[in-house]
Amino acid sequence: MVFEFVPKKLTKDSFKPFGQVIERNEAERILINEGTTERFHDLANVDVKSNNGCPIISIFRGQPRPQPIKIKMMERHPLGSQAFMPLQNQSYYVVVAEEAAEVNPMDLHVFLANGNQGVNYNRNIWHHPLLVSQENNEFLVIDRGGVEDNCEEHWFTEQQGFAELNIK
Amino acid sequence: MVFEFVPKKLTKDSFKPFGQVIERNEAERILINEGTTERFHDLANVDVKSNNGCPIISIFRGQPRPQPIKIKMMERHPLGSQAFMPLQNQSYYVVVAEEAAEVNPMDLHVFLANGNQGVNYNRNIWHHPLLVSQENNEFLVIDRGGVEDNCEEHWFTEQQGFAELNIK
C-alpha cells in the first residue's frame, strides 16, 4: 500500500504538534549592539538535559534521494530535541508524525520548508531523516550529546506499506 | 591613541585561546542516513549550564558599521559560551582578547572569518559585538538563556584609546 502526500507549506501553527519553526518574526525583534543588530530571540525549545545530556552543534550535508521520494522508515530521539537550520537558502522536506507508540505511513505529515526556515523536532517526535532538494545542502544541527542510545528507528512493515512524496 | 589591526585569516589553531571555529573538516565526517548525509560532528563546546542556564537558539541580523570600523568597547558573557554561524555565505570580522580582568585595545586579536566559518566564544572571553561586511547579514546564534545578568561591557577609556580595523 502506498500513501501519497503533497507537501504542505510549513508554518509555525501547522508544525506546533511536532516542534518549532525557527524563523525571523519581524514583529518580535529586539534591537541590540547600538542599533546595528536585530535579535530574533529564543526561537526553539532546546530540550537536551535529560540523563545529563548536553547541547552539541554539528553540520549536516545532505544529498537528494531519487524521485519519487519514498518514506520507508521514521526515527525519533527519546532523550532530546533536534534542530536543523539551513545554511543555504534552499527548500527541503520535513516528514513527521504525532507522538505515538507506533508510527504508520498513513499518519505522516509532510511539509515543504523554505530556505529561511529551520525546524526543531521536539523530543520523541517521529521524523524522517534529512530530505534535501539540492545537492550538498547544508544545515546547522543542534541536538543532544551523550553516551546513551538516543535514536530509535522504525522501518515500515510490508503490511504498513510506505509513503511517497508527490512533488510537482 | 589608535591601535590599527589588519584582520588575519581565521583558523582553528589561531582561534583556540578564544573558542572554536565551527567549520566542516572533510577528514572527520561521518556518513549517516543510508549514506545520504555527511555529519560533521560536535564542532563547538556549548557551555551554558552554569546557574541552571539553558541553551537557546536565536537569529541575529547585522548591519555594517561605518568604515573605518572603530573598536571602542568589548563585551563578555561570564555565564556562558556564545556561538555564531553565518546563514549567508558572507565574510565577517571577529575581534577578541585573551581572558583577563581588564581588556585593552592594544591586546586585541582581529580575524576575518569566511562565510562558511562560525565561531563559538568560550565563556568569559572578551569579544566585540557582531561586525558584518554586508547588509542584512544573518547568523544563527546559540547561547545561554537565563534570568541572570550575563553581559559585561567595557568601554575603552580615553587613556586606553581605541582600535581601528585596517580593511583593504
Side-chain angles (χ1 to χ4, degrees):
Chain A
M1 193 109 116
V2 186
F3 301 87
E4 196 180 285
F5 290 90
V6 178
K8 290 177 190 159
K9 198 180 148 190
L10 181 69
T11 65
K12 274 183 198 284
D13 280 348
S14 58
F15 197 65
K16 217 169 210 170
F18 316 109
Q20 302 82 48
V21 179
I22 301 169
E23 62 184 343
R24 300 86 176 144
N25 177 344
E26 303 296 332
E28 285 181 17
R29 61 202 172 147
I30 308 163
L31 268 184
I32 59 171
N33 298 345
E34 300 176 85
T36 63
T37 306
E38 295 154 78
R39 178 172 185 140
F40 302 89
H41 183 67
D42 195 5
L43 303 173
N45 300 332
V46 183
D47 169 18
V48 297
K49 275 186 180 171
S50 68
N51 294 35
N52 287 314
C54 60
I56 58 173
I57 299 176
S58 304
I59 294 172
F60 281 23
R61 180 191 291 153
Q63 305 299 338
R65 302 195 181 219
Q67 294 225 12
I69 298 173
K70 288 184 171 50
I71 306 297
K72 299 177 188 167
M73 61 83 72
M74 296 283 277
E75 66 178 36
R76 62 178 177 181
H77 308 300
L79 297 177
S81 59
Q82 188 176 41
F84 288 81
M85 187 72 197
L87 295 177
Q88 295 108 352
N89 190 354
Q90 288 171 344
S91 62
Y92 60 101
Y93 304 103
V94 173
V95 180
V96 285
E98 298 211 22
E99 199 167 353
E102 202 187 60
V103 59
N104 278 287
M106 72 178 86
D107 300 330
L108 301 183
H109 295 254
V110 180
F111 298 101
L112 176 65
N114 72 47
N116 286 316
Q117 293 179 311
V119 288
N120 183 49
Y121 300 116
N122 284 343
R123 177 172 20 162
N124 223 26
I125 284 294
W126 289 109
H127 59 274
H128 193 273
L130 195 56
L131 288 174
V132 304
S133 61
Q134 305 287 328
E135 280 183 17
N136 295 316
N137 209 181
E138 295 180 327
F139 293 75
L140 197 70
V141 175
I142 298 100
D143 61 3
R144 179 185 178 279
V147 293
E148 299 85 358
D149 187 13
N150 185 26
C151 190
E152 188 184 337
E153 288 185 355
H154 175 75
W155 289 79
F156 296 138
T157 62
E158 222 167 288
Q159 202 176 10
Q160 282 184 307
F162 63 91
E164 205 169 82
L165 304 201
N166 180 345
I167 300 160
K168 276 131 192 183
Chain B
M1 194 110 117
V2 185
F3 300 89
E4 196 181 286
F5 291 90
V6 177
K8 290 178 191 158
K9 199 182 146 187
L10 181 70
T11 65
K12 274 182 197 286
D13 281 347
S14 58
F15 197 66
K16 218 169 210 169
F18 317 108
Q20 302 82 48
V21 178
I22 301 169
E23 62 184 344
R24 299 90 176 141
N25 177 343
E26 303 297 332
E28 285 181 19
R29 62 202 171 147
I30 308 162
L31 268 184
I32 60 171
N33 298 345
E34 299 175 87
T36 62
T37 306
E38 296 154 77
R39 179 173 184 139
F40 302 89
H41 183 67
D42 195 5
L43 303 172
N45 299 333
V46 183
D47 170 17
V48 296
K49 274 187 183 171
S50 68
N51 294 34
N52 287 313
C54 60
I56 58 173
I57 299 176
S58 304
I59 294 172
F60 281 23
R61 180 190 292 152
Q63 305 299 338
R65 299 191 184 224
Q67 294 223 17
I69 297 172
K70 287 181 172 51
I71 306 297
K72 298 178 188 166
M73 61 83 72
M74 295 283 277
E75 66 178 36
R76 63 179 176 182
H77 307 300
L79 297 178
S81 60
Q82 188 176 42
F84 288 81
M85 188 72 197
L87 295 177
Q88 296 107 355
N89 190 354
Q90 289 171 344
S91 61
Y92 61 101
Y93 304 102
V94 173
V95 180
V96 285
E98 298 210 20
E99 199 167 351
E102 203 186 62
V103 59
N104 278 289
M106 71 179 85
D107 299 331
L108 300 183
H109 295 255
V110 180
F111 298 101
L112 176 65
N114 71 46
N116 286 316
Q117 294 179 310
V119 289
N120 184 48
Y121 300 116
N122 284 343
R123 181 172 16 165
N124 223 27
I125 285 293
W126 288 110
H127 59 274
H128 193 273
L130 194 56
L131 287 173
V132 303
S133 62
Q134 305 287 327
E135 282 183 16
N136 295 317
N137 210 180
E138 295 180 326
F139 293 76
L140 198 70
V141 175
I142 298 99
D143 60 3
R144 179 185 178 280
V147 293
E148 298 85 357
D149 187 14
N150 185 26
C151 190
E152 187 183 339
E153 289 186 355
H154 175 74
W155 288 80
F156 296 138
T157 61
E158 223 168 286
Q159 204 177 9
Q160 283 184 308
F162 63 91
E164 205 169 84
L165 303 201
N166 181 344
I167 301 159
K168 274 130 192 182

